[in-house]
Amino acid sequence: MFKKILKNAFLISFFSVISISSTIFINKITKIKIASQKEEERKFLLEQVLSPTVLNQFEIKLYQIKNKSLGNDKNHNLWLLLNKKKEARAAVIETTAPDGYSGSINMLVAAYLNGKIIGVRVLDHQETPGIGDKIELAISDWITKFSNMYISSPEDKDFLLKKYGGKIEQFTGATITPQAVTNSVKRTVIFIKNIPSILKFLNKDVYEN
């Protein structure tokens, strides 16, 4: 009887060890897979606004930030681009235009710290098909017109739609959508220009201002 109990206890212990080991192994594999997926997502996002040349030129560090100029009170990813001397030279930020015609427009904005725009891409939106969806690169090249533009200040009058005296083209039949995107890009680039003043605070889990 004692031998039978001992045998059963051994079998239970053995299978428990196997089960725990399997769980730990699967968990480790899952974490590696998730980390790999996140890295692929990061690379995909950055490649939307940065050329391979720019990507290879800088070291990239990811931070979390929260600022109303980015369109809402949520956490936003900020990728800081550092040169070989570890000096910040540019940034890519996930930002939101909250005032699109049909709702929020989520975007990526990349710019140098001097205010020169590297690129802008729309991540998702609910704008009207055939009109407001021209902000998508797959629909038109309108969004590429921001590249290489400079923003000098929040009062930069050039960074307005032509309808309002600026230099940015609007769409035929749509004003609200392109103006919402334009305003958001301007606010985001102004935030990027101010990054040098908050660099020492970016080591926090989430920088909030």
Side-chain angles (χ1 to χ4, degrees):
M1 184 69 176
F2 178 74
K3 287 183 177 180
K4 186 175 181 180
I5 293 173
L6 193 61
K7 181 181 178 182
N8 289 338
F10 172 77
L11 289 173
I12 290 171
S13 298
F14 176 76
F15 285 114
S16 294
V17 170
I18 293 297
S19 178
I20 292 170
S21 298
S22 297
T23 301
I24 292 172
F25 177 74
I26 291 170
N27 187 49
K28 186 176 288 187
I29 292 297
T30 301
K31 284 183 177 179
I32 292 172
K33 187 174 181 180
I34 290 172
S36 177
Q37 287 176 339
K38 285 184 177 179
E39 178 62 22
E40 286 299 316
E41 288 173 5
R42 181 193 74 88
K43 185 179 178 183
F44 175 78
L45 284 174
L46 295 180
E47 285 176 346
Q48 302 303 300
V49 287
L50 300 174
S51 68
T53 302
V54 173
L55 275 171
N56 294 330
Q57 184 180 351
F58 295 102
E59 176 188 343
I60 298 173
K61 293 186 70 174
L62 174 63
Y63 299 93
Q64 289 280 303
I65 56 172
K66 185 184 289 188
N67 188 282
K68 289 184 179 180
S69 63
L70 303 179
N72 54 38
D73 292 324
K74 297 179 180 179
N75 293 345
H76 294 252
N77 286 325
L78 181 159
W79 291 273
L80 199 60
L81 278 60
L82 310 172
N83 64 15
K84 292 180 180 179
K85 295 181 179 180
K86 307 297 182 182
E87 298 168 331
R89 285 291 177 260
V92 181
I93 298 184
E94 290 177 341
T95 190
T96 299
D99 49 355
Y101 184 79
S102 301
S104 295
I105 302 168
N106 296 312
M107 302 180 292
L108 275 182
V109 174
Y112 292 104
L113 301 191
N114 65 0
K116 181 182 179 181
I117 298 172
I118 301 171
V120 180
R121 292 292 183 273
V122 170
L123 298 175
D124 59 75
H125 68 90
Q126 292 83 43
E127 300 304 279
T128 308
I131 303 177
D133 63 352
K134 291 184 178 68
I135 56 177
E136 286 185 44
L137 183 61
I139 305 296
S140 82
D141 67 350
W142 180 82
I143 201 75
T144 66
K145 306 297 184 182
F146 290 109
S147 296
N148 296 316
M149 292 187 72
Y150 280 88
I151 298 179
S152 59
S153 70
E155 294 75 35
D156 192 331
K157 297 187 182 301
D158 288 340
F159 215 78
L160 294 169
L161 298 185
K162 286 187 174 180
K163 178 179 180 179
Y164 303 119
K167 294 184 176 180
I168 298 172
E169 297 280 355
Q170 58 258 29
F171 314 145
T172 301
T175 301
I176 295 175
T177 301
Q179 186 61 64
V181 170
T182 299
N183 290 341
S184 181
V185 171
K186 179 192 281 188
R187 289 193 298 268
T188 303
V189 174
I190 293 300
F191 180 87
I192 290 174
K193 289 185 69 172
N194 289 328
I195 282 178
S197 66
I198 63 169
L199 273 176
K200 62 182 179 180
F201 302 110
L202 290 181
N203 289 325
K204 295 180 179 180
D205 291 337
V206 177
Y207 173 73
E208 185 173 349
N209 183 11

